[in-house]
Amino acid sequence: MEFLTDPVAWWIDPFTSNVFMQRALYAGLLVVLTTSVVGTWVVLRGMSFLGDALAHGVLPGIALAFIIGVDTTIGAFVAAIAMVWGINLIRSHSVLPEDTSIGVLFVGFLALAVAIMSSSSGAYTGDLNRFLFGSITGVDAGDLRRQVVAAVISLSGVAIFYRAFLVMTFDHAQAQVLGLRPRLAHGVLLVLLAISIIASFEAVGNLLVFAFLIAPPATAVLLVRRVPRIMAAAAIVGIVSTVVGLLVSYHHRTAAGATMALATVVVFLVVLTAKAILLAIGSRRGHTHAAVTGI
Amino acid sequence: MALGASACSGGTDDGTDDESAPPAAPAVPTILVTTGIWADIVSNVACDGLADIETIIPVGGDPHGFEPSLQDRARMENAALVVANGLELEEGLEDTLEAVAESGTPVFEFADGMEPIPFAFEGAHHGEGEDDGHDDEEEDSDGDEGHDEEQDEGDVEGEEEEGHHGEDEEEEEVDAEEGEEEEGHHDEDEEEEEEEEGHDEDEGEEEEDDHGEDEGGHGSGGDPHIWFDPQRVSGALPGLAGVLTDEVGLDAAAIDACLSGYLAELEAVDAEVAAKVEQLPAASRKLVTNHEALGYFADRYGFEVIGTVIPTPASMAQANPAGLEELAEIIEHEGIKAIFAETLHSVDDVEALAARVGDVDVITLYTGSLGPPGSGAETYVDFMRTNAELIVDALG
């Protein structure tokens, strides 16, 4: 209970006295900023599975880039594009539902990454973990710069395409009528998604970035209704989770990235539970709960 | 180096240029060895092409993380002998090694005949106090030339434990009781750690997770990086030679000749490293490493491992900010000049630590794998020499 009895020592001191915590905080905040605005659309449009698949789909690109000696960011981006293209190809050439084509490529890309790494006799063969879980304690200035660029692209991309995303999300037919080119908008969203994943993987890793993409926006959807507010709430939830996760990691010596990701999920579950309890209390008092269901 | 040479390709001997041995031996037995380091050592005991030595984990591969292919499995089953480190170094190979042993292929594990030292950090981390007093006993019983002073100066271990392996080392035979006792220690420490962490309610689940991983990683306890002590390696070689003659059927006289030659070589490099280390003032013999790989080196040559970037021996573990800051403070406080990364692992965390401290070098050591050609760590003996030079030069 130290976080109540001695709040300064628990909440503040770690960040003021520890440069690793400061770096991790900056990196974490940038991850949150990038993923929450993009993740909001992923959640609203029901693209979680695609998001998860993309987060892993970049792995073979990273692995190949390592072996060839190219910048891993480029490798990751190429792999992401290849995956999106492949999913569309399968979908347009078969009667299979989209989740099947995503699933096939998801596992295909993941397996390809492992196969590539196992065949390479060079360095890093054992470091799959590093890609999957990242290293928020090891972020350097270059990583932070890359994250800033990604955050700027994500924020401005979402701002520019806001109307297109909105109409496409809630009324696909109308988007076409309005000339908003839903396919282009969808493509832009996927690129933004890829950018936010790639920019975050050094810090939190390919496996855990998905937590930041989904959990804070999902929490926000439980709390507010309008899209701009969802984005804002998602960012706030993400920030709170990052700070709490880092502090728990600091005080209890747990892996930083995983603890932050866990915090986003715990916050989601807490909000979900609290909301269910409030709803139950509300309905017992005789309110109709028709007004508060759903999103 | 005849490592990873072609299997069963008949008469042609590669690497070793001996014309004396009759090339009409298409039935040279194949011996598979998990890591390149041990493969080099085995090829020196079965020297001059007595056997075809192949490596399972490629140069540059991490022995902790390596997963065998089906082909590896088949090669292992068809081999005359499979040689491994043991102590769960080869985590990804454990199941395969067991299956191979069950299928009737003899498996020799170097760790079998050794008393493992426990991981330093499960309990001893903060014990900066150097133990003295009983050093002399060990020195006397150790019976090698002159360079024992350093051996004991800065050991991290608790006294009791150190006493233990001092004894075992020269007796060369491990009795099960002592092994258990050590393991008991280990467990106690772990429990302590659990207790320490346990008094926090809110994130309990997470900690359990973490522990689960730890135990999954190195369940049986004991530091597996035994090759960092040439004396321990030498101690295990007669056992290997016995297996080579009894199980593989190699010529005992030839093996004996190889063995005595190589033992002399190991003794020489051991003495050389010890002499090199003597150039370092005792106060400088402090190691900060990426993962806890240098425990045996420290134990043998009188270094103290005062911290590791990756906090636990588990392969899934990550560095955490509190641990790194503490390590940074220890480095500053002790005035340490260099910290050590590894060729097999990402240097990100080590470099972040160095950047925080400022005035400290990052030196990359060969730990779990030999180096590529031209690295100066192509053989085990060169590996020890190169690492020792890197360490002593960096800290001196």
Side-chain angles (χ1 to χ4, degrees):
Chain A
M1 286 288 142
E2 203 195 334
F3 60 94
L4 291 180
T5 54
D6 193 357
V8 174
W10 205 88
W11 294 90
I12 309 295
D13 285 352
F15 290 111
T16 54
S17 65
N18 185 321
V19 289
F20 302 102
M21 285 291 277
Q22 288 161 15
R23 274 258 169 90
L25 183 65
Y26 299 146
L29 294 183
L30 285 167
V31 168
V32 165
L33 208 59
T34 317
T35 53
S36 55
V37 288
V38 177
T40 297
W41 297 103
V42 171
V43 168
L44 290 179
R45 300 204 60 212
M47 290 161 49
S48 298
F49 191 39
L50 179 60
D52 192 16
L54 262 188
H56 293 76
V58 299
L59 271 174
I62 295 170
L64 267 182
F66 244 116
I67 292 169
I68 312 171
V70 190
D71 190 317
T72 50
T73 312
I74 296 167
F77 199 75
V78 170
I81 300 293
M83 181 171 220
V84 169
W85 177 76
I87 289 169
N88 280 330
L89 198 72
I90 294 179
R91 196 173 42 167
S92 57
H93 284 78
S94 71
V95 292
L96 296 169
E98 187 175 20
D99 66 335
T100 306
S101 54
I102 294 172
V104 166
L105 285 186
F106 177 172
V107 72
F109 273 56
L110 191 58
L112 179 64
V114 176
I116 290 172
M117 288 183 201
S118 67
S119 73
S120 137
S121 60
Y124 278 91
T125 39
D127 249 7
L128 182 61
N129 285 341
R130 177 51 53 109
F131 299 140
L132 290 177
F133 298 102
S135 170
I136 202 156
T137 45
V139 267
D140 56 29
D143 296 330
L144 286 179
R145 267 198 298 278
R146 218 169 309 161
Q147 282 190 274
V148 170
V149 172
V152 170
I153 294 175
S154 300
L155 287 172
S156 43
V158 168
I160 293 166
F161 284 86
Y162 177 74
R163 225 175 100 73
F165 287 171
L166 193 67
V167 179
M168 158 179 89
T169 300
F170 295 107
D171 191 346
H172 193 84
Q174 204 200 345
Q176 226 131 20
V177 174
L178 290 173
L180 285 169
R181 306 184 60 189
R183 281 182 63 90
L184 174 71
H186 185 69
V188 170
L189 183 56
L190 290 180
V191 170
L192 293 180
L193 180 58
I195 289 174
S196 63
I197 288 168
I198 293 162
S200 308
F201 92 80
E202 289 276 357
V204 289
N206 290 307
L207 204 58
L208 299 177
V209 66
F210 187 59
F212 290 89
L213 215 45
I214 302 301
T219 312
V221 166
L222 296 174
L223 295 171
V224 290
R225 312 281 297 265
R226 291 173 49 81
V227 175
R229 287 188 194 166
I230 293 177
M231 290 195 217
I236 292 167
V237 168
I239 290 167
V240 170
S241 307
T242 301
V243 171
V244 171
L246 276 176
L247 285 168
V248 169
S249 158
Y250 178 89
H251 291 292
H252 299 289
R253 309 277 170 124
T254 54
T259 312
M260 286 160 56
L262 185 68
T264 65
V265 176
V266 169
V267 170
F268 171 78
L269 293 175
V270 166
V271 169
L272 187 71
T273 311
K275 197 179 166 189
I277 292 170
L278 287 179
L279 279 180
I281 293 169
S283 64
R284 201 172 301 159
R285 283 185 187 161
H287 294 285
T288 75
H289 58 272
V292 263
T293 46
I295 46 170
Chain B
M1 269 304 77
L3 302 188
S6 56
C8 347
S9 59
T12 49
D13 275 336
D14 22 77
T16 48
D17 50 328
D18 66 308
E19 269 90 61
S20 59
V28 170
T30 300
I31 298 174
L32 281 189
V33 188
T34 54
T35 73
I37 292 169
W38 289 121
D40 176 57
I41 291 165
V42 173
S43 74
N44 276 290
V45 177
C47 66
D48 291 337
L50 284 174
D52 187 5
I53 315 289
E54 296 182 35
T55 313
I56 300 171
I57 302 168
V59 171
D62 180 0
H64 295 297
F66 181 82
E67 298 281 340
S69 69
L70 288 173
Q71 202 192 349
D72 292 330
R73 164 90 190 249
R75 283 164 67 211
M76 285 161 81
E77 281 189 9
N78 295 329
L81 173 70
V82 174
V83 180
N85 182 82
L87 279 175
E88 296 184 24
L89 175 83
E90 302 98 337
E91 285 168 50
L93 273 168
E94 285 284 298
D95 293 343
T96 313
L97 285 172
E98 262 171 46
V100 166
E102 267 167 38
S103 80
T105 309
V107 175
F108 177 82
E109 294 198 349
F110 277 100
D112 266 358
M114 279 181 212
E115 181 69 18
I117 60 176
F119 279 108
F121 286 91
E122 286 163 343
H125 185 138
H126 304 285
E128 272 159 60
E130 271 144 52
D131 46 355
D132 18 47
H134 77 132
D135 287 3
D136 297 351
E137 300 163 69
E138 194 182 322
E139 228 169 278
D140 292 342
S141 62
D142 222 315
D144 53 7
E145 329 76 31
H147 44 74
D148 285 33
E149 285 165 36
E150 315 88 90
Q151 175 156 351
D152 305 350
E153 295 261 7
D155 256 354
V156 214
E157 310 306 329
E159 298 171 26
E160 223 179 276
E161 284 158 349
E162 188 172 334
H164 270 305
H165 35 94
E167 283 159 33
D168 298 335
E169 210 168 281
E170 357 103 45
E171 278 169 16
E172 223 132 79
E173 39 154 39
V174 185
D175 54 14
E177 270 179 44
E178 285 200 16
E180 265 166 33
E181 229 179 291
E182 289 247 356
E183 255 185 66
H185 265 297
H186 183 82
D187 287 348
E188 251 173 62
D189 291 343
E190 258 181 37
E191 270 163 40
E192 251 176 60
E193 205 178 293
E194 216 158 350
E195 254 175 56
E196 251 176 61
E197 287 178 337
H199 52 61
D200 168 80
E201 286 92 1
D202 17 14
E203 301 290 340
E205 327 144 356
E206 189 189 332
E207 256 137 42
E208 270 165 36
D209 267 14
D210 210 36
H211 271 276
E213 280 165 19
D214 287 2
E215 269 136 312
H218 286 271
S220 67
D223 183 344
H225 307 91
I226 42 183
W227 60 90
F228 269 103
D229 178 356
Q231 288 189 339
R232 279 187 165 84
V233 172
S234 297
L237 291 187
L240 172 70
V243 172
L244 287 175
T245 53
D246 300 348
E247 308 260 355
V248 185
L250 295 178
D251 178 42
I255 292 286
D256 253 12
C258 296
L259 180 63
S260 53
Y262 194 51
L263 284 177
E265 217 179 312
L266 292 187
E267 203 179 311
V269 77
D270 180 51
E272 192 185 327
V273 170
K276 182 92 190 159
V277 168
E278 242 173 304
Q279 299 171 7
L280 268 185
S284 304
R285 288 175 206 159
K286 286 169 179 156
L287 299 172
V288 175
T289 57
N290 179 57
H291 98 289
E292 200 177 335
L294 291 182
Y296 289 91
F297 184 86
D299 185 53
R300 170 64 192 91
Y301 300 108
F303 282 82
E304 183 185 3
V305 180
I306 62 169
T308 56
V309 168
I310 297 172
T312 71
S315 53
M316 296 285 277
Q318 294 179 306
N320 79 62
L324 283 179
E325 176 62 25
E326 199 172 276
L327 203 49
E329 277 159 18
I330 292 174
I331 292 167
E332 282 175 337
H333 177 251
E334 304 265 345
I336 286 170
K337 289 181 187 162
I339 55 182
F340 299 99
E342 306 175 69
T343 49
L344 296 183
H345 293 273
S346 157
V347 295
D348 290 355
D349 286 325
V350 180
E351 276 179 351
L353 178 63
R356 152 68 181 81
V357 176
D359 188 25
V360 66
D361 292 332
V362 174
I363 305 294
T364 304
L365 298 178
Y366 298 93
T367 52
S369 168
L370 295 175
S375 61
E378 298 100 322
T379 67
Y380 169 65
V381 166
D382 289 343
F383 163 98
M384 284 306 295
R385 190 179 287 131
T386 300
N387 277 331
E389 275 167 13
L390 285 169
I391 291 170
V392 171
D393 292 348
L395 296 177

